[in-house]
Amino acid sequence: MYGDYYNMSSINIYDVIRHNIKKYRKEKNITQAELAERCRVSHDYIRQIESDKVAKTFSVQTLYDISVVLDINPGMLFEIEWNTLYEFFYLCYNFLEVWNEKNYCMF
């Protein structure tokens, strides 16, 4: 979802923000329409912000307003979920460790 994990410059921050807005909105059981009303913007505007098919234009004030409504720190909208990658490497490491023990091989 976020592109090449090894190259931070390839990460599209708009995609990260879109993903996080949608994630936290759903966690709070808030619809797009409710979020829009509470942020004093149109429902269509919230839909566009969450969509990856629409232009990448939203203001810092809008992000702040969304974070207030979602009751989260604004910085949480910029967080990249590295857990999946970490878990993958953790599983690979454990697999290699077990394989190494059974095959008496150094790596």
Side-chain angles (χ1 to χ4, degrees), residues 31-89:
T31 66
Q32 287 180 337
E34 291 169 325
L35 180 60
E37 182 179 332
R38 291 166 66 184
C39 289
R40 297 175 307 279
V41 297
S42 73
H43 176 212
D44 191 54
Y45 187 57
I46 294 296
R47 184 190 58 75
Q48 288 177 16
I49 288 173
E50 288 188 6
S51 171
D52 60 354
K53 297 177 179 82
V54 180
K56 301 170 175 121
T57 56
F58 37 86
S59 71
V60 173
Q61 183 64 51
T62 300
L63 295 181
Y64 176 76
D65 293 344
I66 289 170
S67 71
V68 168
V69 170
L70 296 177
D71 192 30
I72 61 172
N73 181 306
M76 293 171 72
L77 296 176
F78 296 85
E79 290 179 349
I80 299 170
E81 293 182 359
W82 296 108
N83 291 343
T84 304
L85 181 66
Y86 171 79
E87 291 166 3
F88 170 76
F89 282 122

Side-chain angles (χ1 to χ4, degrees), residues 9-26:
S9 66
S10 72
I11 293 173
N12 183 330
I13 195 63
Y14 285 97
D15 289 342
V16 172
I17 293 168
R18 293 175 204 284
H19 168 79
N20 287 331
I21 289 171
K22 188 173 187 177
K23 176 180 81 171
Y24 292 119
R25 178 181 60 75
K26 288 185 172 202

